[in-house]
Amino acid sequence: MRALSLVLLLILGLPLAFGGAYLLALGGSPFYCLSGIAVLATAFGLYKRTRWALPLYAVWMLVLLAWSLWEVGLHWWPLATRLGLPALIGLVLAFPASRRSDPGNQPFASGRPVLAASVLSAVVALIGIPFHLHETSGTLSMEVLNPAAKTGDTTPAEGDWEAYAGSHHGQRFSQLDQITPDNVHRLGVAWQIQTGDMKGPGDVNETTFQATPLKIGNTLYLCTPHSLAIALNADTGAEQWRFDPQAGLESNRQHQTCRGVAFYRGKDSTSAAAMPAIAGQQATDGQQVAHCQNRIFLPSSNAKLFALDASTGTVCEDFGEQGAIDLMHNMPHQQPGFLNPTSPPVIVDETLIIGASVNDNYAVDSPSGVIRAYDVHTGQLRWNWDAGNPDATEPFDPANPGQVYKASSPNSWTIFSADKELGLVYVPLGNRVPDQLGQYRNEYEEKFTAALVALDLETGKLRWHFQTVRHDLWDMDLPAQPALLDLDLPQGRTPAVVLPTKQGDVYVLDRRDGTPIHAVKQRPAPQGTDVPGEHTVATQPVSALSFEPPALTEKDMWGASLIDQMICRIQFKQLRYEGRYTAPSLQGTIVYPGNFGTFNWGSVAVDPQRQIMFGMPTYLAFVSTLIPRESLKSDTTMNLGEQGINANEGAAYAVKMHPFLSPLGVPCQTPPWGTVAAADLRTGQLVYQYRNGTIRDLSPIPVPIKIGVPGIGGPLMTASGLAFLGAAVDNNFRAYDVATGEVLWDVRLPAGGQATPMSYLNSQGEQMVLLVAGGHGSIGTQIGDYVIAYKLMP
């Protein structure tokens, strides 16, 4: 036991002494070096069997406790990792066997002081269990302010889900209310199917099942990671048809995913409820259903857009070229895999509007991020809006090779929203590649980088825009679909757009003209850059409604033990960080919130009747490092996704992006890393925020400790006051009481649930809640191919 005690003291003391000295040389806290000296002195005294060894360790434990409370207060997670390993060693030292040189000798000193210090540390840490960072307690008002609130521009059949977020208003809200906070515990699996489309050995890293199905009549429509379109019976999950666009594999694709399909109902078609299983069959009213009157539009990863007959899945040959449009038309730099329409188009009347994802940081010369509108029947181009050349909205001629869109202009890879009454489509934009190098942008690209643009539905002309980041060097593109609803404000009922961002700001704007409803201020931004020809801006906007975390400090560094916490502090001091919007650098810059986003493509859910929002703010710092091209070795592995080293071919610098992690692979900043939160959209006030998710699927030991884990995906709210959310990396699906944030229902999934749920009525009038579970390649959740529907059980 004495030998074990000496080994443990050396394992703790040596890294603290030498690592702490290095940290001190970097200008960091002296505590780690001094602690290492104290622990090594204890080991020496124990080896020599002096009477002062254990009292010294006890005194150090008390100092450690006081220092920990001074740095982090009475919060469980930062206290536990500071005190845990020293307290365990203290308990070992307290055993009499640790203090004997041989079995016949008496202890050379009492173990009571070190036992008392260890127990006191454990008790103080346990007292901190109820207290967590980034948490705000409150209760959201559930008063219905506008019972007749619009949920979209059309009135679908009861219980249908006609667009990715329910409607093109992007609300992620269901008016169904059979499932309530009182009975949600009775939810069980109604049916579960597997699509057969799984990540394979030839796939890129970020191969993900992110789809949210549509429900029209009694049929569900969805797409899979490899762009297969599938129609399922909404009652049973039985497959009705399947279409494979033969998109193939391409190693240059940054993402292998499909978030959803779009639906168009022909004006003269039968009702969705009467849609037959096979085109040409007699409908219930005796009328023939024309081929392709009702259409499903499928974006495929080989940069094509297919029109399919909603009844049979066969291509609509009158659309484009034999049923498809090649989205590479009029594109510059037509590299395979560089353009990928990962999100479904938005359809208003007879016009279909679509963008696409352009690979981040693979090459300076890349395809354009142009936004295009097509006729839903013929596929004829109606207008194009290119952020790099915004005035040229007259449609280009796809047959004219001389007409070429602006190379590498800001793209929009997420879902659009639309307001038919105002005649506007709302497009969230990214930035011109490369993301971290701004010297390649023209004046228009600077103007529209990370901006929400409102385009005229008929002409594509810009009506207004709102920029959320100026001269974006951090990949803070707008990732989330805007949510449209009307707010009852002192000045009257106001049409609003809610815009979540990666940096945590939620902008609430008048959707008629982009005027902020809640205050937007300018904040001084960190200055200076070590990149020749680059610049920074003096101020950046910040919204009054924000889920931005406090700026990181050295004391916020975390780890599973005192040692890797110290290593995180060393990294923190080695990297550049002066707060949000610290410029990318050659030494490496901490980006926090990281480009993973406080909010991402899952967006937020809004209740238009109660005028509230529910979302999943995530906190994960990233590191961005610019690498001079001449420093790259010929065998350097590059372009394997958004993380790792990306080449920026044609630029003077490549870029390396990765999460800010400890040597054990856990985030360097103190948890929680994932939360759920709600806000009152009328007042712009955050009402509550709580940690969300457990480390069950992150830890070698599957213990469901609620620490608050990252996630990617979106929420669903229902009229009964429930919110549903998968998304977190612990493979669970949960229902929350929207009023309080309390988890009311929590079930395990067979794979990662990194998607957004939806709700519908089956043919028996029963409310269903559905989520796909297929995992997410880049965050390492369990891969699968599941579609799971839940309903109330007796």
Side-chain angles (χ1 to χ4, degrees):
M1 182 68 80
R2 182 164 171 266
L4 173 63
S5 299
L6 286 170
V7 169
L8 290 175
L9 288 169
L10 291 174
I11 289 174
L12 179 61
L14 287 171
L16 289 179
F18 289 97
Y22 183 50
L23 174 63
L24 183 59
L26 293 172
S29 170
F31 185 81
Y32 293 86
C33 182
L34 296 175
S35 293
I37 293 171
V39 173
L40 290 176
T42 300
F44 177 78
L46 183 64
Y47 175 73
K48 291 293 188 179
R49 298 189 295 278
T50 64
R51 300 190 64 83
W52 50 262
L54 297 189
L56 173 62
Y57 191 86
V59 170
W60 174 70
M61 281 288 297
L62 294 175
V63 173
L64 172 64
L65 176 59
W67 170 79
S68 300
L69 289 170
W70 172 72
E71 275 213 326
V72 300
L74 200 62
H75 292 100
W76 161 251
W77 284 112
L79 283 178
T81 53
R82 283 166 167 79
L83 302 174
L85 181 58
L88 288 173
I89 294 175
L91 292 176
V92 173
L93 293 175
F95 281 101
S98 297
R99 305 187 298 281
R100 294 192 179 106
S101 58
D102 61 68
N105 287 349
Q106 293 299 313
F108 57 81
S110 170
R112 290 177 182 174
V114 72
L115 176 63
S118 299
V119 171
L120 177 62
S121 297
V123 169
V124 171
L126 290 171
I127 291 173
I129 286 179
F131 305 104
H132 298 272
L133 301 173
H134 296 314
E135 290 205 337
T136 301
S137 297
T139 300
L140 198 61
S141 171
M142 299 303 287
E143 178 187 2
V144 174
L145 303 168
N146 183 6
K150 290 178 60 177
T151 56
D153 287 324
T154 63
T155 305
E158 184 184 14
D160 276 8
W161 191 267
E162 286 200 340
Y164 176 84
S167 78
H168 295 316
H169 281 204
Q171 295 172 352
R172 290 162 181 77
F173 174 76
S174 171
Q175 297 189 70
L176 303 178
D177 59 4
Q178 292 179 15
I179 304 169
T180 69
D182 292 331
N183 64 23
V184 68
H185 64 278
R186 291 171 37 210
L187 276 185
V189 176
W191 56 262
Q192 173 180 302
I193 64 106
Q194 292 180 260
T195 67
D197 186 6
M198 292 279 287
K199 181 179 181 181
D203 275 311
V204 297
N205 183 48
E206 192 169 311
T207 298
T208 58
F209 196 11
Q210 298 176 348
T212 298
L214 310 183
K215 190 265 184 178
I216 315 295
N218 205 41
T219 302
L220 296 165
Y221 300 96
L222 70 151
C223 57
T224 66
H226 295 93
S227 306
L228 278 66
I230 301 176
L232 304 174
N233 181 285
D235 286 352
T236 65
E239 186 170 312
Q240 294 182 348
W241 56 254
R242 172 181 297 226
F243 172 78
D244 185 351
Q246 300 295 319
L249 300 179
E250 172 53 60
S251 61
N252 276 333
R253 288 177 193 154
Q254 234 170 16
H255 310 273
Q256 184 69 57
T257 192
C258 180
R259 296 190 182 93
V261 296
F263 173 73
Y264 168 76
R265 177 181 286 114
K267 288 185 176 179
D268 299 323
S269 67
T270 59
S271 69
M275 284 170 56
I278 301 174
Q281 281 188 347
Q282 292 290 324
T284 55
D285 60 0
Q287 299 296 317
Q288 290 285 338
V289 178
H291 177 58
C292 281
Q293 211 161 20
N294 296 315
R295 301 184 176 208
I296 293 294
F297 288 91
L298 169 72
S300 68
S301 53
N302 59 343
K304 292 186 177 180
L305 177 67
F306 289 84
L308 308 175
D309 187 291
S311 297
T312 65
T314 56
V315 296
C316 304
E317 295 186 357
D318 57 350
F319 180 80
E321 296 291 329
Q322 296 183 324
I325 294 171
D326 186 348
L327 296 174
M328 295 301 290
H329 74 78
N330 301 100
M331 279 291 173
H333 310 295
Q334 298 190 15
Q335 307 101 315
F338 273 52
L339 186 79
N340 186 351
T342 53
S343 295
V346 62
I347 300 172
V348 181
D349 289 336
E350 315 297 305
T351 301
L352 175 151
I353 306 157
I354 190 168
S357 173
V358 176
N359 284 357
D360 282 341
N361 307 323
Y362 279 21
V364 170
D365 293 326
S366 294
S368 172
V370 62
I371 310 302
R372 290 173 285 192
Y374 299 93
D375 184 285
V376 293
H377 301 288
T378 66
Q380 180 180 355
L381 186 64
R382 290 188 165 185
W383 53 259
N384 32 237
W385 187 85
D386 188 341
N389 185 19
D391 296 326
T393 58
E394 290 298 317
F396 281 19
D397 180 359
N400 183 353
Q403 290 187 310
V404 180
Y405 298 121
K406 179 71 171 60
S408 311
S409 56
N411 67 91
S412 184
W413 52 267
T414 192
I415 303 98
F416 306 162
S417 297
D419 186 325
K420 179 181 175 181
E421 183 177 322
L422 293 177
L424 293 175
V425 57
Y426 301 91
V427 179
L429 288 174
N431 49 33
R432 187 202 196 283
V433 295
D435 292 328
Q436 288 78 24
L437 299 169
Q439 59 263 53
Y440 300 94
R441 303 169 190 167
N442 66 26
E443 62 175 311
Y444 296 117
E445 291 162 343
E446 283 282 64
K447 178 179 179 179
F448 296 117
T449 283
L452 179 67
V453 296
L455 305 179
D456 189 286
L457 280 167
E458 292 297 322
T459 67
K461 295 288 187 182
L462 178 71
R463 295 263 286 271
W464 60 261
H465 84 286
F466 181 88
Q467 190 170 39
T468 63
V469 184
R470 298 169 57 213
H471 196 62
D472 179 17
L473 301 174
W474 306 272
D475 190 24
M476 291 299 174
D477 50 0
L478 289 176
Q481 181 183 20
L484 313 183
L485 77 164
D486 295 339
L487 295 179
D488 290 313
L489 303 172
Q491 62 268 34
R493 186 160 290 169
T494 304
V497 53
V498 178
L499 181 66
T501 66
K502 285 184 176 181
Q503 57 269 35
D505 292 324
V506 177
Y507 293 95
V508 184
L509 312 173
D510 187 318
R511 68 177 183 266
R512 295 170 295 190
D513 56 15
T515 302
I517 290 174
H518 299 309
V520 176
K521 297 181 179 179
Q522 295 294 318
R523 179 193 296 170
Q527 296 298 292
T529 171
D530 56 6
V531 178
E534 190 55 87
H535 71 277
T536 53
V537 297
T539 63
Q540 292 283 4
V542 60
S543 175
L545 175 56
S546 183
F547 297 84
E548 173 194 18
L552 293 174
T553 64
E554 186 189 331
K555 69 181 182 181
D556 294 317
M557 296 302 100
W558 196 74
S561 72
L562 203 59
I563 295 171
D564 57 320
Q565 177 193 112
M566 175 193 66
I567 297 173
C568 281
R569 288 190 183 228
I570 291 172
Q571 294 181 69
F572 181 77
K573 286 296 184 179
Q574 290 173 327
L575 296 166
R576 183 179 175 192
Y577 180 70
E578 293 100 45
R580 179 168 147 183
Y581 300 130
T582 303
S585 62
L586 278 67
Q587 75 184 81
T589 292
I590 295 175
V591 181
Y592 186 65
N595 67 325
F596 187 78
T598 304
F599 297 101
N600 207 289
W601 53 262
S603 194
V604 298
V606 301
D607 181 334
Q609 298 174 343
R610 299 179 175 95
Q611 302 174 23
I612 56 179
M613 63 154 276
F614 180 92
M616 183 187 64
T618 292
Y619 303 108
L620 193 62
F622 268 65
V623 177
S624 170
T625 306
L626 296 174
I627 306 172
R629 185 155 304 281
E630 59 270 19
S631 301
L632 293 172
K633 297 179 180 179
S634 58
D635 60 349
T636 300
T637 300
M638 295 185 289
N639 296 354
L640 295 181
E642 290 189 66
Q643 296 182 29
I645 298 176
N646 285 337
N648 280 340
E649 195 65 45
Y653 301 92
V655 63
K656 181 180 181 181
M657 294 287 296
H658 59 87
F660 183 29
L661 303 178
S662 83
L664 297 181
V666 299
C668 267
Q669 90 261 10
T670 304
W673 311 304
T675 65
V676 291
D680 184 325
L681 292 172
R682 290 182 303 149
T683 64
Q685 296 298 309
L686 188 157
V687 176
Y688 63 74
Q689 185 168 13
Y690 302 111
R691 67 195 189 282
N692 182 62
T694 74
I695 60 171
R696 175 170 180 167
D697 297 297
L698 299 176
S699 169
I701 303 173
V703 180
I705 299 174
K706 188 177 181 181
I707 191 171
V709 296
I712 190 164
L716 162 74
M717 276 205 289
T718 69
S720 63
L722 286 171
F724 291 90
L725 180 68
V729 296
D730 61 355
N731 299 350
N732 282 45
F733 188 25
R734 298 179 174 92
Y736 307 78
D737 185 328
V738 171
T740 64
E742 179 186 0
V743 176
L744 302 176
W745 176 76
D746 189 347
V747 295
R748 294 286 290 164
L749 294 168
Q754 282 70 57
T756 302
M758 49 83 75
S759 187
Y760 66 92
L761 291 180
N762 66 13
S763 67
Q764 305 305 307
E766 300 168 307
Q767 184 180 356
M768 314 283 279
V769 175
L770 183 147
L771 179 71
V772 306
H776 196 286
S778 65
I779 62 175
T781 50
Q782 178 66 42
I783 298 299
D785 61 341
Y786 298 90
V787 183
I788 309 172
Y790 301 84
K791 70 176 184 178
L792 293 173
M793 297 299 175

